[in-house]
Amino acid sequence: MSKGCDPSRIEDLYHRYGGAGGQQAQLDFTVTTDDISSAFHATVSAVSAIRGDGPFHPAGTRKALFDLDAERGPVVDALADTEHLQALLWSPPHWSVEGRSELDFVFVTREITPGSAVDGDKRAWVIEQDCQVSADLLLMNTKDRTPIVAEFKRGGDQNADYALVQALAAAAQLTPPRQRERLRAQYSEYFGKNLPERLDVYVIVTDPPPRGTRPKLLRRAQAHAAELQASGALDQWIRRIVFLEVKASAGRLSFTELPGDAGDKSAAPAIAE
């Protein structure tokens, strides 16, 4: 096992950001758009030659969403945690974003760790363990089958800027063709026969606090995303970065785009079936 992740990589930036302390400490932790871009590029370079095969996690290591949902009990008008959202996403299969049909998605899997593989019936690692990062959700865009790496944060959870760095770190680990081929092969019922060309990144929040440090961190996340999109620094790998709010009401979820969304560059060819 390596002695720490290379400090130039986005996984290290993510771990240092998370270890900075509370929300005020994270607000004081200087993370520039150039830092994020450079770190993303460093990870893309570091993982370019990895040759993982097979599933991202051993079979039978996680509960089906149907069972997970049943364990949660009656749905109240709030999301308790990440697992609560994951449990509710199993049905219906198609989720709409109000007024933005191009952002609609379906659920693919939860807690995906791109650096993980399977060796027999055990977990193996195609990326050094010190650089591991997971994403809460893997989704699929319903318009063209683009994979979506998504992070979810509740109002009292970690902040949206931290979530953005985490989602980008997971996305960076999925950029090699071999990794994207694993996505296609393992989830072919979603991604079809052709290799996904780029990824989308979603940051999903619920009950965002109206005041304090977290709204400032959300605005910083959106500014980072907007600058990344405007500069084209990640265009080779990331098509769009989106911020959504999810609400639970009367046992149903609804998704809306947060004001100030970073926008997208969605001119990539559609992913054919």
Side-chain angles (χ1 to χ4, degrees):
M1 185 167 62
S2 63
K3 297 180 179 179
C5 194
D6 186 326
S8 70
R9 290 170 57 163
I10 195 168
E11 301 97 329
D12 181 75
L13 176 62
Y14 159 66
H15 292 307
R16 286 189 289 116
Y17 198 168
Q23 301 302 301
Q24 184 59 51
Q26 291 185 344
L27 183 62
D28 294 337
F29 182 73
T30 302
V31 181
T32 69
T33 304
D34 285 344
D35 291 336
I36 296 172
S37 176
S38 296
F40 188 98
H41 280 256
T43 292
V44 168
S45 177
V47 302
S48 61
I50 65 171
R51 302 184 62 81
D53 290 301
F56 290 89
H57 55 82
T61 59
R62 60 194 60 196
K63 295 178 181 178
L65 287 193
F66 182 91
D67 298 325
L68 193 64
D69 183 30
E71 291 179 0
R72 302 299 304 205
V75 177
V76 294
D77 290 347
L79 291 167
D81 51 31
T82 300
E83 195 173 78
H84 193 185
L85 174 63
Q86 294 168 340
L88 294 173
L89 285 175
W90 78 271
S91 180
H94 182 130
W95 294 97
S96 299
V97 178
E98 184 178 349
R100 293 293 304 273
S101 61
E102 70 274 20
L103 304 181
D104 292 358
F105 62 89
V106 297
F107 173 86
V108 178
T109 192
R110 63 189 182 97
E111 304 298 342
I112 185 170
T113 304
S116 173
V118 174
D119 182 8
D121 60 351
K122 297 181 179 179
R123 174 167 285 189
W125 305 102
V126 297
I127 295 173
E128 52 266 53
Q129 286 185 260
D130 288 335
C131 295
Q132 291 305 314
V133 61
S134 296
D136 289 333
L137 299 163
L138 178 67
L139 312 172
M140 183 205 76
N141 180 277
T142 57
K143 184 176 181 179
D144 60 14
R145 298 192 177 195
T146 296
I148 302 166
V149 177
E151 272 298 309
F152 170 67
K153 299 300 177 190
R154 292 176 60 244
D157 196 358
Q158 286 284 7
N159 66 78
D161 201 38
Y162 181 63
L164 173 63
V165 174
Q166 182 175 359
L168 286 171
Q173 293 188 348
L174 288 169
T175 57
R178 179 64 71 93
Q179 289 285 77
R180 287 180 283 121
E181 172 56 27
R182 288 177 72 200
L183 280 181
R184 189 212 62 75
Q186 295 303 311
Y187 308 108
S188 59
E189 69 270 35
Y190 297 98
F191 300 127
K193 299 177 181 178
N194 291 351
L195 196 69
E197 295 194 10
R198 292 194 285 177
L199 305 170
D200 289 347
V201 167
Y202 284 13
V203 175
I204 304 173
V205 302
T206 191
D207 300 325
R211 60 185 65 86
T213 58
R214 284 181 177 84
K216 296 176 184 178
L217 285 158
L218 172 59
R219 290 193 292 272
R220 186 164 80 179
Q222 291 178 298
H224 282 152
E227 290 166 7
L228 288 169
Q229 299 269 259
S231 71
L234 307 186
D235 279 4
Q236 182 178 345
W237 309 282
I238 304 298
R239 176 177 63 168
R240 58 163 68 103
I241 303 172
V242 175
F243 293 82
L244 300 179
E245 181 176 7
V246 58
K247 295 182 179 180
S249 178
R252 294 285 299 169
L253 298 177
S254 61
F255 293 86
T256 56
E257 187 179 22
L258 282 172
D261 173 51
D264 66 76
K265 294 187 176 182
S266 53
I271 297 175
E273 185 172 350

